[in-house]
Amino acid sequence: MQPSKARTRRVTLRDVARAAGVSINTASRALNGKPDVSEATRARVQAVAAQLDYRPNQVARGLRQQKTATLGVVVADLANPFFAEVAEGIERTAATEGYSIILANSEENQHREEQAVRTLVERQVDGILITPTQQSEATVRYLMQRHVPFVLVARYFEGLDVPAVVNDDREGARLGVEHLITQGHREILFLNGPPYNSSAKLRLRGYQDALEAAGIPFRPSLVINTDARSSGGYAAIQQALASGVRFTAVACFSDYVSFGAIRALRQAKLRIPEDVAVIGYDDIDLAAIVEPALTTVHIAKTRLGQVAAHMLLGMIGSSSTDQPQVGLTVLPPQLVIRESS
Amino acid sequence: MQPSKARTRRVTLRDVARAAGVSINTASRALNGKPDVSEATRARVQAVAAQLDYRPNQVARGLRQQKTATLGVVVADLANPFFAEVAEGIERTAATEGYSIILANSEENQHREEQAVRTLVERQVDGILITPTQQSEATVRYLMQRHVPFVLVARYFEGLDVPAVVNDDREGARLGVEHLITQGHREILFLNGPPYNSSAKLRLRGYQDALEAAGIPFRPSLVINTDARSSGGYAAIQQALASGVRFTAVACFSDYVSFGAIRALRQAKLRIPEDVAVIGYDDIDLAAIVEPALTTVHIAKTRLGQVAAHMLLGMIGSSSTDQPQVGLTVLPPQLVIRESS
DNA sequence: TTGTATGCGTTATCAC
DNA sequence: GTGATAACGCATACAA
């Protein structure tokens, strides 16, 4: 008996083949369910493989097949439940379809995003899903130039004809503001996100749409750009209060911004919704739990990820030449009225 | 001029070598900063590589080097901000150290967890980080038997001597309950997590520790196991109220459970903290934002992930034989008193 | 200093 | 139905 190695070598296809008394080729065909292998040998090989607890080396397979069954995912902010849920949706459909995901977090930083994408390309992912920071179009152009299949999630570039799955931001914002107007509000503060963000741009339009439909003139002084964080909402309300602008309602870029806004409003002894109505956007699960429960625009976050992943897998599957005709998929938002408005 | 292919082949090291007029070997050495290559050729090769926009194929490299620079991560619930933040910490240090992460979500399902781990092993990850569901020890045993470096995060198995990075759950719970007692509470409801969860077990002990230190007898009727979700907290409070048990404070397994509990208490017209004090656990960022701001036990979530990742990288780096002597790292929790108590 | 040859583990192309 | 053999892209032991 040989002295056992401290670290036993992994069992390879060669080991299985040898133990089963067949060629390595036959072993491969047997295990992969390929035709032209007798049931007898197939069964024998499978038995041996199971007994040896053989696991195919996906790295070798990936190299050989020029296909890794891996999707690259770069999200803008993993700590934000919105993106975490999107990622969850992506992961779920990927797993269901036999794909793994390599996840990167850009932290809303353009440089990190570009770096992440380069890494993913080096790792030969079959496709990439990305919620772009949108501080530049560099990432998208790089991917197109490299002919790497990709789809944008939650955000997209208006000028570029690239595959994307988004929420109907304009309609969602319009819905929310319309609701506020229906409640009798005419002076509606809008705490928006960063101006380069496509959702922010579109939600601003939705805000304007709703005003226009009600014959309320648009006043730029009522919109404040924030960094889309709760601290941004908090600061924006303080700023608004200090500046003396009058408002009876505030529509926010996200639930997070809402939470910050609500906190600032309360510190100013304003009651919600009696003194000021507040609506958010996203409908993260905490929105329904906090007090007052937040009126907000629901986005099917998990679904967003699932649909995007399916779209990407479709692009990968159809081995035809570059097909940019996949286009934009828009998911409908949904207003959910709770207690804050 | 040739008709251009719809999809141009990727540029390989061979292409670079050819264009630079050197052997593929020299090209490799030049680009990888290996010694024994003249500065002249190195510069030339690098220039050619840059001009061709050469990207090394990490799959091929991984196969050759028996090392993928990839970490497998399986979290229990990606949609839960706690795990999302842990994952964020892992991703950040991995990226910093030149590693990518393959992320899987077990959704607290033992079967999915085992499946995920098998996939990760097949993909030749260099190590695995996992927040185990703990419904069985199968995963850990599998990893040990396979000699795959791994470390447990946030949860661990008391009987097993495996590397893990956790929060000091017992001390954290003790701290929180002690605080409640200091405020004069003696009838403290404890909404705990599932009984197989190591954090739940330890926090129960912490709860008991605090009671004992104050000379308050432990009453099993005051502890209710929940599924650790907000709906679980909500239901638990309703149950407690219906059963008629008296309590003036409630300590919760997590902030999520707290939120559900608070909602149920408010529906019963109980004021917080005047009628009932509430404390949570985790200190997710929303805890500071909601009204009333939640008193809770802070866990350095991102740090948890970072420390665990570093530990794993250390295990991978030290190419010594299996070293199970790495052991347990315990991070100190911190009580943060806000408005709900 | 540089080139040649081999192999990582697998699948695919061909004979047999 | 089965088995050699090549190739995927790269890194390395060794020869030159």
Side-chain angles (χ1 to χ4, degrees), chain A residues 13 24 28 32 34 54 57 61 64:
Chain A
L13 195 54
I24 189 174
S28 175
N32 290 330
K34 292 290 175 66
Y54 165 73
N57 181 328
R61 187 194 293 236
R64 177 62 236 235

Side-chain angles (χ1 to χ4, degrees), chain A:
Chain A
M1 194 171 174
Q2 307 284 334
S4 67
K5 283 287 203 309
R7 171 139 188 169
T8 52
R9 201 178 52 76
R10 282 189 169 127
V11 17
T12 76
L13 195 54
R14 153 186 249 109
D15 301 321
V16 175
R18 181 152 26 203
V22 298
S23 78
I24 189 174
N25 173 10
T26 301
S28 175
R29 303 179 61 79
L31 293 177
N32 290 330
K34 292 290 175 66
D36 291 339
V37 44
S38 77
E39 277 316 310
T41 47
R42 187 188 300 276
R44 185 157 37 91
V45 171
Q46 284 173 338
V48 170
Q51 195 234 316
L52 262 46
D53 198 16
Y54 165 73
R55 297 289 160 191
N57 181 328
Q58 298 293 352
V59 172
R61 187 194 293 236
L63 177 60
R64 177 62 236 235
Q65 297 190 143
Q66 303 286 62
K67 178 167 178 337
T68 53
T70 303
L71 264 28
V73 178
V74 17
V75 295
D77 181 9
L78 191 53
N80 182 327
F82 175 80
F83 294 108
E85 277 198 52
V86 171
E88 184 194 31
I90 292 172
E91 195 275 343
R92 189 182 304 161
T93 92
T96 301
E97 302 293 331
Y99 281 72
S100 292
I101 66 172
I102 297 185
L103 180 75
N105 188 9
S106 71
E107 300 185 29
E108 297 282 14
N109 172 6
Q110 180 70 28
H111 178 261
R112 274 208 67 179
E113 173 180 300
E114 292 172 26
Q115 178 57 47
V117 166
R118 276 192 296 269
T119 298
L120 293 173
V121 170
E122 287 186 356
R123 289 181 179 280
Q124 314 296 123
V125 296
D126 296 333
I128 293 181
L129 291 153
I130 177 170
T131 61
T133 73
Q134 303 199 301
Q135 283 147 41
S136 106
E137 297 178 351
T139 304
V140 168
R141 298 202 177 284
Y142 178 81
L143 256 10
M144 294 180 75
Q145 174 219 326
R146 283 258 171 185
H147 301 287
V148 178
F150 72 98
V151 0
L152 267 27
V153 190
R155 303 169 177 174
Y156 77 109
F157 294 91
E158 278 193 273
L160 274 33
D161 181 27
V162 301
V165 179
V166 301
N167 160 260
D168 191 339
D169 288 301
R170 184 170 182 169
E171 174 62 5
R174 193 195 67 72
L175 239 34
V177 176
E178 178 186 62
H179 162 70
L180 255 16
I181 292 171
T182 302
Q183 304 289 303
H185 298 284
R186 294 182 62 84
E187 293 163 321
I188 304 170
L189 200 59
F190 183 37
L191 306 189
N192 204 5
Y196 50 78
N197 178 300
S198 61
S199 293
K201 286 184 204 164
L202 290 164
R203 289 178 196 173
L204 176 59
R205 281 188 224 152
Y207 168 80
Q208 293 172 312
D209 289 346
L211 292 184
E212 188 177 337
I216 303 174
F218 170 65
R219 290 163 49 198
S221 62
L222 282 175
V223 1
I224 303 177
N225 286 322
T226 76
D227 59 3
R229 304 185 52 73
S230 72
S231 54
Y234 184 86
I237 288 295
Q238 290 195 314
Q239 175 190 329
L241 257 20
S243 76
V245 264
R246 290 168 43 92
F247 59 91
T248 62
V250 17
C252 301
F253 177 73
S254 71
D255 293 346
Y256 259 59
V257 170
S258 290
F259 294 141
I262 288 173
R263 187 151 186 86
L265 289 168
R266 282 198 163 145
Q267 286 188 355
K269 304 294 179 209
L270 265 12
R271 291 165 306 161
I272 296 159
E274 294 82 358
D275 298 325
V276 179
V278 176
I279 65 172
Y281 207 116
D282 287 352
D283 194 23
I284 62 176
D285 60 1
L286 251 30
I289 297 169
V290 297
E291 207 88 8
L294 192 67
T295 292
T296 189
V297 178
H298 178 81
I299 300 182
K301 297 162 284 296
T302 307
R303 185 116 197 295
L304 208 58
Q306 291 174 311
V307 171
H310 272 124
M311 179 182 287
L312 181 59
L313 290 172
M315 293 169 61
I316 294 169
S318 70
S319 54
S320 66
T321 53
D322 301 352
Q323 70 289 18
Q325 69 273 23
V326 180
L328 186 68
T329 294
V330 180
L331 264 37
Q334 203 177 328
L335 178 67
V336 13
I337 300 171
R338 289 198 268 249
E339 304 165 355
S340 67
S341 69

